Amino acid sequence: MKSPLYIAAGPKALRHLQENGLQLADIRAMLGASGGPKWLVLNQLDRLLAPRLAADPLVNMDLLGTSIGSWRFACYTQPDPLAAIDRFEEAYFEQAYSRKPSPVEISQVCSRILESLLEGQHRAIVSNSQRRLHTIANRCRPVMLDRNGEPSKVPLGAAALMNVMGRHQLRHFFERILFAPPSSQLPFHPAIFRQENVQLATDNLHQALMATASIPLIMQAVHDIPGSTGGACVDGGIIDYHFDTPLPYEHGIVLQLHFSPRLVPGWFDKMLPWRKPQAASLDNMLLITPSNEFIASLPGGRIPGRHDFVTMDDQQRKANWRKVLGETARLAEALDLMLEKQEWNQVNLLA
């Protein structure tokens, strides 16, 4: 039977798999991309890996996410990851909005989801030295903001147009803030974007995780996060949607559980099919995604998305999402079998 997973690896990662197989302790980092409800297709994979990583004393890894990716990893870093995933899933399913919700309403609902996920585990999360949570938000430069200090439509459109000429053009509109715990070992370097490094702590964890998920125009910006130099912060996926920054660990694998085989560096690159991560960013990466055939077999032939809140009522949306979760058990079963048998002969070259 054909696997429901699509697996690809960069040259260094592929050599590692062929020569050594994959043990959990080989995973030096995990990447978690932005994507809203798309995370639901990864739910069962998270349920497989998160408790195993928590139970393995040899695991020593950095978790780097933007938006929903870092919310997933906030579950990984808790003492009981499965309980955190349960809370996250329940709160995420139960979110509901008025017919035309304002950015204030959407931010308030999302903040309550995050509170359910965290459930007072702030100290345990930021002090976890084996599974270290990192997240990224983007600070708006003054040109982006209206008189109320919120991102506005015209400069956001200008940023999208300038991005066509090159990702470096986004530095005129945004600055990256990397929130990292005290025990971070992440070899993440600023490259073409201005970057402020801020220590992730109990007093800024909630705001950092809200900021990384705050979609401009849809949600409110998060202002003046403790530990930072201030400013209006929004969605980390604008610069780092699926990531394009090398993580040059000397040994080991950078694992990305993802929604599709296509990796898109930044949010505005979604409409630019030629825009791809640089080769150095893929060298030690192992990418695991649902196969196109598996996605086609899901209800409606697609992964859940934000438009579900518009095209379905809450009852229909929940029923659809439950069906998706039921189907994704096959993804976890396939990965579990691969880890058990260490069969990596069907891995594609990631390029």
Side-chain angles (χ1 to χ4, degrees), residues 34-45:
S34 304
K38 292 183 179 71
W39 82 275
L40 294 168
V41 81
L42 305 178
N43 177 285
Q44 296 297 320
L45 292 173

Side-chain angles (χ1 to χ4, degrees), residues 314-334:
D314 287 338
Q315 185 175 355
Q316 291 171 324
R317 173 180 58 80
K318 292 177 189 178
N320 180 272
W321 287 4
R322 289 294 176 200
K323 290 179 183 177
V324 170
L325 286 189
E327 291 295 320
T328 58
R330 292 194 284 133
L331 301 178
E333 291 168 0

Side-chain angles (χ1 to χ4, degrees), residues 18 24 55 61 74 106-107 136 174 186 203 231 234 278 297 306 326:
Q18 292 170 340
L24 294 182
M61 64 191 305
I106 296 173
S107 291
I136 290 170
F174 301 99
L186 187 73
D203 67 345
V234 295
Q278 57 187 310
S297 73
R306 292 188 184 93

Side-chain angles (χ1 to χ4, degrees), residues 30-47 49-50 63-78 81 84-85 88 92 114 117-118 125 133 135 209 212 243 255-259 288:
M30 288 184 68
L31 297 176
S34 304
K38 292 183 179 71
W39 82 275
L40 294 168
V41 81
L42 305 178
N43 177 285
Q44 296 297 320
L45 292 173
D46 287 339
R47 289 180 176 276
L49 286 182
L63 301 162
L64 173 63
T66 54
S67 191
I68 207 73
S70 56
W71 289 29
R72 290 169 48 221
F73 290 157
C75 297
Y76 274 64
T77 54
Q78 295 188 36
I85 293 173
F88 184 22
Y92 202 82
L114 183 56
L117 185 165
L118 296 176
I125 292 170
L133 176 65
T135 192
L209 290 175
T212 190
F243 301 99
L255 173 63
Q256 185 165 13
L257 304 178
H258 195 42
F259 323 115
I288 300 179

